[in-house]
Each structure stands twice: as structure tokens, then as C-alpha cells.
Amino acid sequence: MIRWLLPLAILLTACTRAPEAALPSDAVDSRIATAIAAIKAIDNHAHPVRPTAASEKPDNEYDALPVDSLEAQSDYVRGRLGSPELIAAHQAVFQGDKAAAAKTYGQDYAVKVLDQLNIESMLANRVALGPGLPSPRFLWVPFADALMYPLPTDSVIQNSDQKAFFALEAKLLARYYAESGVAAKPATLDQYLDQVVRATLQRHKQAGAVAEKFEMAYLRPLAIGNPAKSTAEKVYASGVGDYRALQDYIFRFIALECGRLGMAVHFHTGAGGGSYFNVAGSNPMLLEPLFNDPSLRKTNFVMLHGGWPFAREETALLTKPNAYLDFSAQTYMNYPQDVAQNLRAWLEYVPEKVLFATDAYPYAPPGAGWEEVGYVANLSGREALGRALTAMLRDHEITRERASELARMVLRDNARKLYGLK
Ligand SMILES: [Zn+2]
């Protein structure tokens, strides 16, 4: 997800309409728009919230690093107070009465949200799936960052946001230890990799996970080295030395295991939330050495969020056989005309590796719950796709038939192939 803060009190009392709903637009060919609206999508990345009964503890497993304690940032326009699109979305989702819908549908509530968005399957980036998020409507993508930090992290924390993040990672690692039946840090790196890391990945796979997600860009730059095992072992055993080398070694182990188990590796790429976020460290170009490593060619990597603002650079990475991207979050933070330009470049280059996604996230419920964010991102993403295909059609780059085919590929077929879905 892309985090930012969004107080909703004023937003909910405003009553403007979404400007784009009223705009006559010839930017999208009407036949293309109709075709795109009809396609049942596979959403490559989102954070759906599990429906819970009033007597239950509210769900908090929709992210390993939830938004709660970030220092304020200058918010981008589309996510600011009073966003007319969010207000329109709130009115549109269950006719503005999510509470009534939650009562009516109970455990089927989240599935009904997908039905409303014409999304067949949503990849759910969550700590655990849980009841109310049934497969295959929801496909699990758990978090793997915590496994990279078997040593105390005080030395790598650089600001208050990271302090909160690393505390959460420590909690998640403790959970992975417990689930693996390991009571304390194993004596050797090999034992740790086998008893905790491999065991966790296998459990995830057995529970239906289709990929592992890294929120690495929130914790450290995406530049991942290729250290000697002896270096990593020394740091693991002694607790001193180059911690980054140990992290890199563990990451590579995870990436190899994911390839072996048939799970993709998802990376947050591009800008993220919080005023301390290291944008330069989120540049997807930093991943190129991984993609170029012959030993990792059996692992498929997906660069989430289209790497914005490095979307054009990311285009070139699509030629790596195991590199994919989605345009989640761009569909919510950036306007369709902007997203369409990125999409067009990708579709003109390697369209088989481009995946639709929303990053539906409960930023500030009830006005900006995962339902509203998903609603806006779904409309916006489909419009951006329509704009890109229309422009390509009008410039005589593609036929109408090819436009329809590309729409199906981006909205569902590319994801079906990548994850081996029916
Ligand atoms: Zn996300």
C-alpha cells in the first residue's frame, strides 16, 4: 500500500460530485469503454478488510505495517480532505450504507464488494486471510520482510516511522517463530533458514499463498547485494558486522524458495507514504541486478505500483523474463490521464507482463475504507486502460480486436497465467 493520513470528518459532510463523472470525455472510445467495464478483473494487489461481527475484535491484519503512527506529510491532491471522488464512492458502495450491507451479508460482505467492482479475484496482501475472505475470490499474499531481520534492529532505525515499523516486524517474526514451533533464535544461520524461513514459506504456500510481499522500501533501499555465505553467517552468529549483508543473504534465500515453491515475489516499488519515505531507495532500477541474476530466473518478481515516479524506467525492466508490474495505487493517487501515459508505454513494449490492481486499503474508514478506495481505483484504473488503448487505436498502432485482447490481458489473463489460475 501507499500510506498517508486522511482525516475524514469534513470529507463526509461535503456534498460535491466527482468532476470526472460529469465530464463529457472523448478520451475513451465508447466501445472500448464498454468492453473494459464488462471484464471480470483479477486485482493483483489490495488490502481487503475481513468482515467481523460486532462482538469480534475488528480486523487489523490487512497490513504488516499499518498506517497508525506516521508523521504528517504534505498530502497529494487526490487524497486530500473533501475528495469528491471518495464522497461519490461512499455513496455508490451499497448505496452509502455499508453498515446495513454488513448486517445483511455478514460473512459474504467482502465478496459482495468484489461483485460490485466486477472483480473476480483479489490478491489479498494480509498477515492472514481468515473467515469472510474465501478463496478463490481472495488469494493470499503474506508478508516476508520480518524474516530478513533475525537480529535486533535498533542499529538500522533512522526515524520515528521506522521505529514503529520495525517493532511491528519484530512482532510478526515472533509470530512466524511460534507458528514454526521454534522457541528461540536457532544457533546457526542454516538452522534459522531451515526451521523458521523455509518452514514459514512452506506454511504460506500450503495455506494457498500465491506470492510473498516485501514492504522493503519502507525499511531500507531496494539495492540487494550478493554477499558471501560466510559473511552472513558471521553476522548472524555474532550479532555484529554488516547487517545489510545478512538481510541480503536471507532475501536471496527467500526469493529462491519462492521460485521453487511456485510463489511470485511482490515488491513495493516507487514512492510511498510518510514524510520520511526514501523515494530514491524505492527506484525499481535498483532491482535490476536481481532480475539479471541467472540463479533467480525461476522466481517471478512483480513490481507493485508501477514504480511511480520511475514508471518510464520500469518499462525497460519488462524485458527481463521474470519481471512483471502492476499499476496499483497509481489508480488511486494519480489521475487516469497520467496513469494512461505510463500504461501506454508498457503496453507498447511488453504487454504480457502488465497487471491491473487497485491497492484498495482502509486508509480512513468509514469514508475511505477499502471499499471506497477500491471503488475509485477500479474506475480510475479501467479508465486509464481505456485511454491508453484508445490513443493507441487512434494512432493506428493496434486494431480494435487487439485493443480488446490487450484489455483482457491486463485486466485478467496476464495474472491468470502468472499465478496459474483457472
Ligand atoms: Zn498495498
Side-chain angles (χ1 to χ4, degrees), residues 336-347:
Q337 65 78 21
D338 180 35
V339 182
Q341 293 178 44
N342 299 333
L343 254 173
R344 179 174 177 172
W346 299 329
L347 296 181

Side-chain angles (χ1 to χ4, degrees), residues 67-88:
V67 208
D68 299 353
S69 55
L70 294 187
E71 274 195 36
Q73 66 177 74
S74 302
D75 286 328
Y76 52 89
V77 166
R78 216 179 174 199
R80 285 184 192 174
L81 281 179
S83 153
E85 290 169 284
L86 271 177
I87 292 161

